[in-house]
PDB file of all heavy atoms in Angstrom:
ATOM      1  N   LEU A 196       6.017 -10.626   9.131  1.00 80.00           N
ATOM      2  CA  LEU A 196       7.567 -10.995   9.011  1.00 80.00           C
ATOM      3  C   LEU A 196       8.148  -9.813   8.305  1.00 80.00           C
ATOM      4  O   LEU A 196       9.279  -9.332   8.514  1.00 80.00           O
ATOM      5  CB  LEU A 196       7.779 -12.198   8.302  1.00 80.00           C
ATOM      6  CG  LEU A 196       7.375 -13.550   9.086  1.00 80.00           C
ATOM      7  CD1 LEU A 196       7.599 -14.788   8.189  1.00 80.00           C
ATOM      8  CD2 LEU A 196       8.339 -13.708  10.334  1.00 80.00           C
ATOM      9  N   LYS A 198       6.988  -6.619   8.117  1.00 77.00           N
ATOM     10  CA  LYS A 198       7.115  -5.363   8.915  1.00 77.00           C
ATOM     11  C   LYS A 198       8.313  -5.561  10.065  1.00 77.00           C
ATOM     12  O   LYS A 198       8.878  -4.612  10.324  1.00 77.00           O
ATOM     13  CB  LYS A 198       5.754  -5.181   9.731  1.00 77.00           C
ATOM     14  CG  LYS A 198       4.699  -4.723   8.776  1.00 77.00           C
ATOM     15  CD  LYS A 198       4.970  -3.391   8.192  1.00 77.00           C
ATOM     16  CE  LYS A 198       3.951  -2.937   7.335  1.00 77.00           C
ATOM     17  NZ  LYS A 198       4.200  -1.513   6.722  1.00 77.00           N
ATOM     18  N   LEU A 278      14.679  12.747 -14.347  1.00 95.00           N
ATOM     19  CA  LEU A 278      14.310  14.118 -13.869  1.00 95.00           C
ATOM     20  C   LEU A 278      14.926  14.277 -12.346  1.00 95.00           C
ATOM     21  O   LEU A 278      15.610  15.198 -12.018  1.00 95.00           O
ATOM     22  CB  LEU A 278      12.863  14.392 -13.824  1.00 95.00           C
ATOM     23  CG  LEU A 278      12.202  14.678 -15.113  1.00 95.00           C
ATOM     24  CD1 LEU A 278      10.692  14.879 -14.960  1.00 95.00           C
ATOM     25  CD2 LEU A 278      12.694  15.995 -15.608  1.00 95.00           C
ATOM     26  N   PHE A 354      29.937   2.910   4.469  1.00 90.00           N
ATOM     27  CA  PHE A 354      29.374   3.837   3.540  1.00 90.00           C
ATOM     28  C   PHE A 354      28.452   4.741   4.134  1.00 90.00           C
ATOM     29  O   PHE A 354      27.972   5.693   3.374  1.00 90.00           O
ATOM     30  CB  PHE A 354      28.919   3.099   2.261  1.00 90.00           C
ATOM     31  CG  PHE A 354      29.989   2.565   1.274  1.00 90.00           C
ATOM     32  CD1 PHE A 354      30.324   1.263   1.234  1.00 90.00           C
ATOM     33  CD2 PHE A 354      30.826   3.451   0.604  1.00 90.00           C
ATOM     34  CE1 PHE A 354      31.081   0.738   0.430  1.00 90.00           C
ATOM     35  CE2 PHE A 354      31.806   2.965  -0.203  1.00 90.00           C
ATOM     36  CZ  PHE A 354      31.985   1.603  -0.387  1.00 90.00           C
ATOM     37  N   ILE A 368      16.289  -4.158  -7.424  1.00 96.00           N
ATOM     38  CA  ILE A 368      16.751  -4.740  -8.707  1.00 96.00           C
ATOM     39  C   ILE A 368      16.767  -6.268  -8.630  1.00 96.00           C
ATOM     40  O   ILE A 368      16.248  -7.002  -9.594  1.00 96.00           O
ATOM     41  CB  ILE A 368      18.088  -4.205  -9.113  1.00 96.00           C
ATOM     42  CG1 ILE A 368      17.898  -2.638  -9.414  1.00 96.00           C
ATOM     43  CG2 ILE A 368      18.668  -4.900 -10.313  1.00 96.00           C
ATOM     44  CD1 ILE A 368      19.314  -2.020  -9.712  1.00 96.00           C
ATOM     45  N   PHE A 376      11.208 -14.181 -13.113  1.00 89.00           N
ATOM     46  CA  PHE A 376      11.335 -15.602 -13.261  1.00 89.00           C
ATOM     47  C   PHE A 376      10.318 -16.341 -12.680  1.00 89.00           C
ATOM     48  O   PHE A 376       9.766 -17.207 -13.290  1.00 89.00           O
ATOM     49  CB  PHE A 376      12.693 -15.921 -12.603  1.00 89.00           C
ATOM     50  CG  PHE A 376      12.861 -17.379 -12.625  1.00 89.00           C
ATOM     51  CD1 PHE A 376      13.408 -18.115 -13.699  1.00 89.00           C
ATOM     52  CD2 PHE A 376      12.737 -18.097 -11.480  1.00 89.00           C
ATOM     53  CE1 PHE A 376      13.594 -19.496 -13.693  1.00 89.00           C
ATOM     54  CE2 PHE A 376      12.886 -19.500 -11.454  1.00 89.00           C
ATOM     55  CZ  PHE A 376      13.405 -20.181 -12.600  1.00 89.00           C
ATOM     56  N   ILE A 386       6.116 -13.423 -20.738  1.00 70.00           N
ATOM     57  CA  ILE A 386       7.212 -13.146 -21.630  1.00 70.00           C
ATOM     58  C   ILE A 386       7.239 -14.214 -22.719  1.00 70.00           C
ATOM     59  O   ILE A 386       7.666 -15.268 -22.657  1.00 70.00           O
ATOM     60  CB  ILE A 386       8.548 -13.272 -20.866  1.00 70.00           C
ATOM     61  CG1 ILE A 386       8.516 -12.224 -19.671  1.00 70.00           C
ATOM     62  CG2 ILE A 386       9.793 -13.005 -21.858  1.00 70.00           C
ATOM     63  CD1 ILE A 386       9.806 -12.306 -18.714  1.00 70.00           C
ATOM     64  N   TYR A 453      -4.600  -4.566   5.206  1.00 65.00           N
ATOM     65  CA  TYR A 453      -3.896  -4.913   4.093  1.00 65.00           C
ATOM     66  C   TYR A 453      -3.827  -6.400   3.765  1.00 65.00           C
ATOM     67  O   TYR A 453      -4.004  -6.815   2.628  1.00 65.00           O
ATOM     68  CB  TYR A 453      -2.285  -4.500   4.215  1.00 65.00           C
ATOM     69  CG  TYR A 453      -1.433  -4.753   3.003  1.00 65.00           C
ATOM     70  CD1 TYR A 453      -1.544  -3.958   1.871  1.00 65.00           C
ATOM     71  CD2 TYR A 453      -0.538  -5.821   2.970  1.00 65.00           C
ATOM     72  CE1 TYR A 453      -0.837  -4.103   0.793  1.00 65.00           C
ATOM     73  CE2 TYR A 453       0.223  -5.911   1.836  1.00 65.00           C
ATOM     74  CZ  TYR A 453       0.061  -5.161   0.698  1.00 65.00           C
ATOM     75  OH  TYR A 453       0.909  -5.376  -0.324  1.00 65.00           O
ATOM     76  N   THR A 536     -14.264  -0.391   2.064  1.00 70.00           N
ATOM     77  CA  THR A 536     -15.288   0.508   1.247  1.00 70.00           C
ATOM     78  C   THR A 536     -14.661   1.078   0.052  1.00 70.00           C
ATOM     79  O   THR A 536     -15.354   0.939  -1.100  1.00 70.00           O
ATOM     80  CB  THR A 536     -15.581   1.619   2.166  1.00 70.00           C
ATOM     81  OG1 THR A 536     -16.197   1.309   3.542  1.00 70.00           O
ATOM     82  CG2 THR A 536     -16.644   2.551   1.475  1.00 70.00           C
ATOM     83  N   GLU A 537     -13.317   1.349   0.080  1.00 70.00           N
ATOM     84  CA  GLU A 537     -12.580   1.822  -1.134  1.00 70.00           C
ATOM     85  C   GLU A 537     -12.628   0.675  -2.231  1.00 70.00           C
ATOM     86  O   GLU A 537     -12.848   0.886  -3.318  1.00 70.00           O
ATOM     87  CB  GLU A 537     -11.263   2.351  -0.780  1.00 70.00           C
ATOM     88  CG  GLU A 537     -10.531   2.759  -2.101  1.00 70.00           C
ATOM     89  CD  GLU A 537      -9.067   3.218  -1.720  1.00 70.00           C
ATOM     90  OE1 GLU A 537      -8.671   3.115  -0.613  1.00 70.00           O
ATOM     91  OE2 GLU A 537      -8.418   3.492  -2.653  1.00 70.00           O
ATOM     92  N   PHE A 540     -15.876   0.277  -3.864  1.00 74.00           N
ATOM     93  CA  PHE A 540     -16.013   1.242  -5.009  1.00 74.00           C
ATOM     94  C   PHE A 540     -15.282   0.815  -6.196  1.00 74.00           C
ATOM     95  O   PHE A 540     -15.822   0.998  -7.348  1.00 74.00           O
ATOM     96  CB  PHE A 540     -15.555   2.539  -4.541  1.00 74.00           C
ATOM     97  CG  PHE A 540     -16.372   3.242  -3.490  1.00 74.00           C
ATOM     98  CD1 PHE A 540     -15.794   4.430  -2.844  1.00 74.00           C
ATOM     99  CD2 PHE A 540     -17.556   2.887  -3.153  1.00 74.00           C
ATOM    100  CE1 PHE A 540     -16.644   5.023  -1.933  1.00 74.00           C
ATOM    101  CE2 PHE A 540     -18.347   3.579  -2.219  1.00 74.00           C
ATOM    102  CZ  PHE A 540     -17.831   4.571  -1.588  1.00 74.00           C
ATOM    103  N   PHE A 550     -11.686   9.157  -7.055  1.00 77.00           N
ATOM    104  CA  PHE A 550     -10.913  10.306  -7.589  1.00 77.00           C
ATOM    105  C   PHE A 550     -11.272  11.591  -6.779  1.00 77.00           C
ATOM    106  O   PHE A 550     -10.332  12.256  -6.328  1.00 77.00           O
ATOM    107  CB  PHE A 550     -10.963  10.451  -9.062  1.00 77.00           C
ATOM    108  CG  PHE A 550     -10.424  11.786  -9.620  1.00 77.00           C
ATOM    109  CD1 PHE A 550      -9.012  11.943  -9.752  1.00 77.00           C
ATOM    110  CD2 PHE A 550     -11.194  12.769  -9.946  1.00 77.00           C
ATOM    111  CE1 PHE A 550      -8.521  13.084 -10.235  1.00 77.00           C
ATOM    112  CE2 PHE A 550     -10.689  13.983 -10.369  1.00 77.00           C
ATOM    113  CZ  PHE A 550      -9.398  14.125 -10.515  1.00 77.00           C
ATOM    114  N   ALA A 577       1.995  14.966  13.021  1.00 92.00           N
ATOM    115  CA  ALA A 577       1.100  13.901  13.511  1.00 92.00           C
ATOM    116  C   ALA A 577      -0.379  14.335  13.540  1.00 92.00           C
ATOM    117  O   ALA A 577      -1.191  13.467  13.124  1.00 92.00           O
ATOM    118  CB  ALA A 577       1.710  13.397  14.898  1.00 92.00           C
ATOM    119  N   LEU A 590     -15.760  10.659   4.913  1.00 84.00           N
ATOM    120  CA  LEU A 590     -16.056  10.706   3.525  1.00 84.00           C
ATOM    121  C   LEU A 590     -16.384   9.330   2.941  1.00 84.00           C
ATOM    122  O   LEU A 590     -17.455   9.157   2.196  1.00 84.00           O
ATOM    123  CB  LEU A 590     -15.002  11.450   2.803  1.00 84.00           C
ATOM    124  CG  LEU A 590     -14.726  12.910   3.054  1.00 84.00           C
ATOM    125  CD1 LEU A 590     -13.456  13.358   2.299  1.00 84.00           C
ATOM    126  CD2 LEU A 590     -15.886  13.737   2.512  1.00 84.00           C
ATOM    127  N   GLY A 595     -20.084   5.345   1.029  1.00 71.00           N
ATOM    128  CA  GLY A 595     -20.189   3.926   0.906  1.00 71.00           C
ATOM    129  C   GLY A 595     -21.631   3.507   1.332  1.00 71.00           C
ATOM    130  O   GLY A 595     -22.216   2.691   0.561  1.00 71.00           O
TER     131      GLY A 595
END
Side-chain angles (χ1 to χ4, degrees):
L196 292 173
K198 290 296 182 182
L278 286 173
F354 285 108
I368 294 173
F376 173 78
I386 299 178
Y453 183 74
T536 304
E537 182 185 357
F540 287 172
F550 168 76
L590 289 170

